Amino acid sequence: MAEHVLYCMAQSGHSYKAALMLELCGADWEPKWVDFFGGETRTDTFRKTVNEMGEVPVLVHGSRSLSQSGVILDYLTDVFGKFGGADDDERREILRWTIFDNQKVSGVAGPLRYMRTLVKTGENDVTKFLDGRLKGALAILEKHFESHAFAIGDKPTTADFSLCGYLYVRDEIGTDFAPYPNVIAWLERIKALPGWKHPYDLMPGHPMPDAR
Amino acid sequence: MAEHVLYCMAQSGHSYKAALMLELCGADWEPKWVDFFGGETRTDTFRKTVNEMGEVPVLVHGSRSLSQSGVILDYLTDVFGKFGGADDDERREILRWTIFDNQKVSGVAGPLRYMRTLVKTGENDVTKFLDGRLKGALAILEKHFESHAFAIGDKPTTADFSLCGYLYVRDEIGTDFAPYPNVIAWLERIKALPGWKHPYDLMPGHPMPDAR
């Protein structure tokens, strides 16, 4: 078994954040596929033995089992001494963008992509609501990246890996990114980091089976 | 001017988390009312000089200006040495529930209460969607509080102050809390802490003016 085991699946942008960090740190890690679409995260067994919050990712490292991508990212900055803040002020600035991401970027893009591309609900009032919320958050990022190469300045940190969780499957989110060229340029800068991989090349479960 | 100034408004559950922490720590603090409903957080001035994310709360303490309730709470545990974790593992456990809160509890209860009670949209597909998401999160908390007095064990931490952000205005959220007695009991335990106050007694802006 690898030193780090990540419960995850290819379609989970939250999992991607942790998988990307592990990969960019050169960690000895392996993914453990979770059958989210088959209901695994909703089972009593999963909630009792893996994560009471019923979510991926979960990182198992030694005797520790950690959930919430933001917590896993924070933990891995300690383990590897990379992509973290230089002091408490920088650590909090990373946390600020990480929480913003969970609530307003990934936390909205995830359900929107799920509805539009995975369960194919078609356009409705809920997709419209989520699309509007996502555009509000993207406008804030667009403004921020006018004067910042990365989330907290001129170097990549886990805040970037958090924010980009769903943004390499933009076509599946279905929101028009043309008005956000600074966001696209920032995503290209992350993509240029040595070792970067697309979520579907890092985690198992893609393509999805045709029928369930 | 007080030592700590909190940009906030009575209706903001995210602001309440920080206001409650300041109050329970006996801080020398004062609220600075933000005219959210009049559009203040959407102005260029607010975004340039107070918070580029266009949100409250914002805490000003000395030369520091901090946004995101989770960051403010983390900072205040350092300032006051109260309601934080004893070590890095506890700090991360607090962070785990804080991120869960921002994404799935406050991040959903806030917009739902806004629609149902503040702008009075009436019931529609979006309120139904948010109501369902909130119930999913409450079920996780209900299970957790079967065996925990507070979020991370037997003592209150900032994770509790984050999670309870909107839950003292339950009637305004409009979701039925009867199926969640453990959640109610936990809210009563927080309420019993010396110095606890209701959001409307801690921050200005309630009741709202009749017309704008």
Side-chain angles (χ1 to χ4, degrees), chain A residues 52 55 74 78 92 104, chain B residues 52 55 78 92 104 144:
Chain A
E52 68 184 297
E55 298 174 327
D74 176 80
D78 269 6
R92 290 196 178 103
K104 300 209 162 165
Chain B
E52 68 184 297
E55 299 174 326
D78 269 6
R92 289 196 179 104
K104 300 209 161 165
H144 185 71

Side-chain angles (χ1 to χ4, degrees), chain B residues 115-126:
Chain B
M115 295 180 70
R116 281 181 169 159
T117 298
L118 301 179
V119 296
K120 297 184 174 61
T121 59
E123 293 302 294
N124 55 43
D125 286 346
V126 179

